[in-house]
Structures are given as structure tokens and as C-alpha cells.
Amino acid sequence: MSKTCLECGEKIVGREDKKFCSDSCRNAYNNKMNKDHNNLMRNINNKLRKNYRILNELNPDGKTKISRTKLLSKGFDFEFMTSIYQTKNGNTYYFLYDQGYMTIENDQYVLVKKDS
């Protein structure tokens, strides 16, 4: 019984459990399988990445205050986050992975970073 490459269909020579004829076919196949299949996912991931970079840049020390205007001027989009955390005393933090923010008085935000 001869097996064929999942990517190009060529005959596979070598180990019995091989699925690809070469590293380039394996890479091409996996790249196709792992790419974002539609623009919606790609756009959301790009917005999450951008928001994360903005928070990371503005919060180098792990905790700081910043204005809403400053966040918006950098291109921050408040619609995109990865999680929401509610504290026992009712405060709500919005997180992008380990970078978070919470609304405080006068259109100000406190930026925080979770400990790893």
C-alpha cells in the first residue's frame, strides 16, 4: 500500500506514518489549515492586537492613569477585549490578555497588568 502526500498527492517514501513528501509540503498544508478563513476573524484579531499594543505601550510600569482622549488618539477601540473581571466591591475591569483597564472619574482610566 503506497501513501500519498496530503498536500501535493505525490507518493510518500520513508516511514510508514509519514503524511507529507517534504517539509515544504508539510509547511504549505499547515499554513493553509491554520490561516484565518475569513476577514471577520482576521479583522477582530488585528483589533485585539492593536488594543493590546496600545495598553502595553501606555502602561510600562504595570499600573497608570490615562485619559479616554489619549487612548482614542492612539486608535484604541473600546469594543474589543478578551475578558471582563468584576471585583468583589463592584469594579469592572476590561482585559486584553494580561493588560486591563477600568473607568474612573472624569473620563479617566486606570491601566493595570495582571501578574503572570
Side-chain angles (χ1 to χ4, degrees), residues 51-65:
N51 277 356
Y52 182 83
R53 279 194 295 261
I54 291 167
L55 292 180
N56 202 40
E57 173 192 335
L58 296 174
N59 188 22
D61 300 323
K63 188 170 185 179
T64 190
K65 285 184 185 178

Side-chain angles (χ1 to χ4, degrees), residues 90-106:
N91 295 327
T92 303
Y93 286 88
Y94 301 92
F95 278 91
L96 286 116
Y97 308 107
D98 64 338
Q99 294 284 346
Y101 62 94
M102 178 183 72
T103 306
I104 53 177
E105 72 280 340
N106 301 327

Side-chain angles (χ1 to χ4, degrees), residues 3-13 18-30 32:
K3 291 181 77 173
T4 58
C5 177
L6 293 176
E7 177 64 17
C8 69
E10 293 290 318
K11 183 179 176 190
I12 297 177
V13 178
K18 268 178 100 172
K19 296 179 183 179
F20 305 98
C21 64
S22 67
D23 285 340
S24 62
C25 277
R26 180 179 46 83
N27 287 333
Y29 178 85
N30 286 319
K32 275 193 249 176

Side-chain angles (χ1 to χ4, degrees), residues 51-98:
N51 277 356
Y52 182 83
R53 279 194 295 261
I54 291 167
L55 292 180
N56 202 40
E57 173 192 335
L58 296 174
N59 188 22
D61 300 323
K63 188 170 185 179
T64 190
K65 285 184 185 178
I66 195 133
S67 70
R68 179 179 180 85
T69 308
K70 179 75 170 179
L71 286 168
L72 291 172
S73 73
K74 293 276 189 182
F76 192 83
D77 189 337
F78 287 93
E79 296 290 316
F80 295 89
M81 72 213 59
T82 57
S83 64
I84 299 172
Y85 176 72
Q86 187 89 28
T87 65
K88 290 178 184 173
N89 41 339
N91 295 327
T92 303
Y93 286 88
Y94 301 92
F95 278 91
L96 286 116
Y97 308 107
D98 64 338

